[in-house]
Amino acid sequence: MRIACRQGRTADMVVGRAEWRRTGSMWSALGGVVGTVLKGMSRVRWHDLTHAYGSAADVPGRLSRVAFGDARTSASALSDLGLWLGELAVFDATVEAVPFLWGLAVTDSVNSRSGVVELLQAILEHGNPPQIAVQRAAHRAVLDGRSTADMLACDEDAAVRAAAANLVTAIGSHVCVTCRPA
């Protein structure tokens, strides 16, 4: 799938509760600093949620390391999140984490944005048959970010562009039985 991108265009989108504006090749949070991407994270009852290895109480720390860590720290935290939230199966913590992942994907200062986009694709491609409602919610959270993925497919970073193009294709061809309308 080819996506036409025009340099210098302005676009607005909503990711979770944050509004973002892209002007040229720069994403910025409207009405705040980039650090607000994770602002609502403290309102999530992570200790009541689960991931692949148990309690999701440690997910906020990993999301913060992805957001603010150097390249090595960010990649390590993203690897943990991949194992916990999407590479094996999806969980209730996955559903809560997806809006924050979308926010990280559009934040230029995040070192591993392409990896974040790849994790979103992994979430879309994995399920949790015993928990169909959780699977549907996790997939829906990724599918609802289609416009964000389209915008990222025009990013100036080649790795982000490539990962986003793959995600756009995956979103467009997503046909899992769980997500089909009844």
Side-chain angles (χ1 to χ4, degrees):
M1 169 181 257
R2 288 183 61 111
I3 299 170
C5 298
R6 290 176 283 152
Q7 294 293 40
R9 76 175 178 195
T10 299
D12 295 336
M13 68 176 165
V14 176
V15 178
R17 293 188 177 108
E19 277 190 60
W20 294 84
R21 170 161 287 150
R22 181 179 177 107
T23 306
S25 63
M26 181 70 165
W27 286 104
S28 62
L30 297 176
V33 295
V34 173
T36 62
V37 170
L38 300 178
K39 181 179 180 183
M41 198 165 52
S42 64
R43 288 188 220 119
V44 176
R45 298 176 55 92
W46 296 101
H47 62 279
D48 290 339
L49 303 174
T50 58
H51 60 53
Y53 298 101
S55 171
D58 41 6
V59 169
R62 293 309 192 281
L63 288 168
S64 293
R65 287 183 186 122
V66 171
F68 304 112
D70 60 23
R72 186 177 188 177
T73 301
S74 182
S76 175
L78 191 57
S79 176
D80 288 345
L81 289 172
L83 289 172
W84 297 348
L85 301 176
E87 291 176 9
L88 303 174
V90 295
F91 300 88
D92 54 1
T94 308
V95 176
E96 295 296 329
V98 167
F100 299 109
L101 293 171
W102 278 119
L104 293 171
V106 300
T107 303
D108 283 333
S109 62
V110 172
N111 284 302
S112 51
R113 291 188 313 129
S114 62
V116 172
V117 174
E118 290 166 355
L119 175 54
L120 288 163
Q121 183 171 345
I123 290 168
L124 184 62
E125 293 173 347
H126 289 90
N128 192 335
Q131 297 183 19
I132 296 299
V134 169
Q135 178 178 329
R136 183 179 302 111
H139 289 187
R140 180 58 39 210
V142 175
L143 293 169
D144 287 347
R146 170 64 187 259
S147 63
T148 305
D150 287 337
M151 295 300 297
L152 288 169
C154 299
D155 198 89
E156 69 180 20
D157 182 319
V160 172
R161 257 192 335 268
N166 289 338
L167 178 55
V168 167
T169 300
I171 289 171
S173 63
H174 185 70
V175 291
C176 95
V177 125
T178 305
C179 296
R180 257 191 273 158

